[in-house]
Amino acid sequence: MTNGQLHEGESIRVNGASAGVAMAAIQIASALGAKPVIAMSRSAAKLDRLSQFGVDAGIDSSRESQVDAVMAATGKRGVDLIIDTVGGPAFEANMDSRAVKGRLVNIARVGSTTAQIDLEKLWLKRLKLIGVTFRTRTEQERLECIQACARDLLPALEAGRLRLPIIAA
């Protein structure tokens, strides 16, 4: 929420959608009124089960073009925000599937820590690349994150709109 600056009505794509952090991102985006909430996974079975958590469209990245599927789901506009846990292998598709002024928040690099960037795409679309980690945050910054999380998410947790289910392979 904080780093991605997601607003109601904006579109979001979450990579590695069945993992814990990604599932939390999906539910938070849905609770905030993001539309569409797009989930990406290499498992069609996992994608089918994610619809109950706020996913509007699923992309099976082992079978279909990520970019084509995002463009179809967003009326060829692209997504406003991508939450990326994959890193390098998804980077080019992440660049190509974002809307003008789209944001990418990278929270993990399970696929690879490196990628090449086409600076013209970054420039023409006025994209933002945002890296997130707790490892380099001060104690004060960590406290501020916890306070923001409590302020923004406790009502949804109390109402049962956010939960962390286990989705097995």
Side-chain angles (χ1 to χ4, degrees):
M1 288 174 52
T2 303
N3 290 291
Q5 301 173 341
L6 183 65
H7 299 287
E8 183 177 355
E10 287 189 315
S11 56
I12 183 172
R13 184 181 96 198
V14 180
N15 296 343
S18 61
V21 171
M23 288 190 69
I26 288 166
Q27 291 179 76
I28 291 166
S30 182
L32 289 174
K35 281 292 179 192
V37 175
I38 303 167
M40 189 177 80
S41 175
R42 290 180 294 184
S43 168
K46 289 179 182 178
L47 287 170
D48 288 341
R49 290 180 280 187
L50 288 172
S51 62
Q52 64 185 302
F53 302 104
V55 171
D56 299 307
I59 300 171
D60 180 346
S61 61
S62 69
R63 295 181 153 184
E64 59 188 313
S65 162
Q66 299 168 39
V67 177
D68 291 347
V70 165
M71 292 306 171
T74 62
K76 298 186 180 181
R77 185 179 171 279
V79 290
D80 297 300
L81 177 62
I82 294 176
I83 303 297
D84 180 40
T85 61
V86 177
F91 190 78
E92 188 173 349
N94 287 342
M95 293 293 288
D96 292 341
S97 62
R98 277 188 283 160
V100 171
K101 296 185 179 180
R103 287 112 39 217
L104 168 72
V105 176
N106 177 266
I107 57 174
R109 291 136 315 274
V110 296
S112 171
T113 60
T114 60
Q116 284 192 301
I117 184 170
D118 181 339
L119 293 173
E120 187 139 325
K121 289 177 186 177
L122 181 73
W123 174 71
L124 286 171
K125 286 188 174 183
R126 297 174 279 153
L127 302 175
K128 290 183 182 179
L129 304 174
I130 305 155
V132 175
T133 184
F134 272 90
R135 293 178 185 162
T136 57
R137 292 180 194 243
T138 66
E139 288 298 318
Q140 181 60 37
E141 289 172 323
R142 290 177 187 175
L143 177 61
E144 289 169 3
C145 286
I146 292 166
Q147 290 170 334
C149 184
R151 177 194 67 230
D152 297 336
L153 301 179
L154 277 179
L157 281 167
E158 289 171 346
R161 293 190 343 245
L162 299 178
R163 53 199 165 102
L164 188 56
I166 304 299
I167 296 184

